[in-house]
Amino acid sequence: MPVRGATVRLAGQTFSVVGVGKVRALGGAVVSDSVVYMDFGAFRQRAGVGDVVGVVIVQSSDPARTQQRLADLGGLDADTPADLIRKAEQVNQTGVVLYWVMIGLTLVIASLFVSNMLARSVAERRLEFATLRAIGVPRRTI
């Protein structure tokens, strides 16, 4: 784990560590060990890396200006929290459908197993009843 004042090289770029720890970000919206906080200059330097940066969350008092500055950098999409929620729900819909398909398959397999076991039990009992009837045990006793 880097310490304060150390340098870290990421994708051929050097960054200075100014602090290490758990930080509550954006009102508790992001709490993760894989979050990097950096100022705009370092962000601009890092933004040239391309697809290596997956998600960057920026808290701003002027969101329109921030979105414009990000658009000026090029190669980055600037989404509002509502857009991100909508996109996450769209991605999650596929997972929900897959989840229900798996539940359905599980229920079908379980019902086949139960019906097979019941059919076998009934067949065995039928043979027992036939044997008892053949040796003369009255129906009422069976």
Side-chain angles (χ1 to χ4, degrees):
M1 175 186 288
V3 295
R4 187 177 185 155
T7 58
V8 178
R9 287 194 58 82
L10 300 170
Q13 313 245 338
T14 303
F15 298 94
S16 296
V17 176
V18 295
V20 177
K22 296 259 185 201
V23 180
R24 295 179 194 261
L26 306 178
V30 176
V31 178
S32 173
D33 290 336
S34 61
V35 176
V36 176
Y37 301 91
M38 60 181 66
D39 67 4
F40 186 73
F43 172 68
R44 186 177 349 184
Q45 177 188 10
R46 181 78 174 128
V49 176
D51 291 338
V52 174
V53 177
V55 176
V56 176
I57 298 175
V58 178
Q59 184 176 12
S60 172
S61 58
D62 188 2
R65 183 172 176 222
T66 303
Q67 284 181 330
Q68 183 57 46
R69 289 184 78 178
L70 290 173
D72 293 343
L73 288 175
L76 297 172
D77 292 329
D79 295 317
T80 63
D83 293 337
L84 292 174
I85 290 170
R86 191 183 83 262
K87 288 180 180 180
E89 287 173 347
Q90 287 174 347
V91 169
N92 196 29
Q93 286 175 353
T94 305
V96 169
V97 169
L98 184 60
Y99 177 75
W100 283 106
V101 166
M102 294 302 284
I103 287 175
L105 287 173
T106 303
L107 290 174
V108 166
I109 291 170
S111 63
L112 288 173
F113 176 76
V114 169
S115 67
N116 186 29
M117 293 303 293
L118 287 174
R120 182 177 173 165
S121 178
V122 166
E124 289 175 356
R125 296 292 289 171
R126 202 179 289 162
L127 183 62
E128 290 175 12
F129 293 152
T131 304
L132 290 173
R133 289 287 295 141
I135 61 174
V137 177
R139 274 186 179 201
R140 192 170 185 177
T141 306
I142 294 176

